[in-house]
Amino acid sequence: MIKVLFVCLGNICRSPMAQFVMEQMVEERGLSDQFEIDSAATESYNEMCHAGIHYGTRDILTEMKVPFEEHYSRRIRPHDYAYYDYILAMDDSNIEDIQSIVGIDVENKIHRLLDFANKPRNIKDPWYTGNFDETYWDIVEGCDAFLEYLKM
């Protein structure tokens, strides 16, 4: 079983979008039984507020026919590092924040999602840009590239 944790700042836009896109991709490939996929935040404010998925994320997932369920923000915990095989961040800042929570990445588990793509880069936060379409397509590119990296 390959355990993947997607991480962004608040766990209401990018990381849950990546979680549900990846779940759909592995389902379509008949690989669901080989993966455990979840998402988390680097900050705790949305968890304290019991925040759900941002409406912009809901809208783009609905538009693109990506199945999703209710999800509430949670902060990444130190024990997540031991549990997950891959911790896939959305940007450089997320990586710094993840390492401040879980410690040094001695097992090389922490990567940006788009590090697996032909053009590695950060995934912009649609909370600030308002561009959920761009975020969606970056996440699709990253998830496809990650699955190719895994040769699945």
Side-chain angles (χ1 to χ4, degrees), residues 32-88:
S32 294
D33 61 335
Q34 297 178 41
F35 283 86
E36 181 179 331
I37 304 164
D38 201 357
S39 62
T42 58
E43 296 296 328
S44 61
Y45 52 83
N46 285 330
E47 181 178 41
M48 291 185 298
C49 299
H50 199 63
I53 301 170
H54 188 280
Y55 68 87
T57 295
R58 288 178 181 278
D59 290 349
I60 192 69
L61 291 174
T62 300
E63 178 184 335
M64 303 312 283
K65 298 181 178 19
V66 176
F68 65 94
E69 57 192 30
E70 191 56 66
H71 172 86
Y72 294 100
S73 177
R74 79 164 184 91
R75 188 172 193 220
I76 189 171
R77 309 274 193 270
H79 64 79
D80 287 327
Y81 186 81
Y83 185 78
Y84 287 95
D85 301 307
Y86 294 92
I87 299 174
L88 303 180

Side-chain angles (χ1 to χ4, degrees), residues 97-108:
D97 293 341
I98 291 165
Q99 290 178 332
S100 73
I101 295 165
V102 304
I104 297 170
D105 183 17
V106 296
E107 296 181 50
N108 196 32

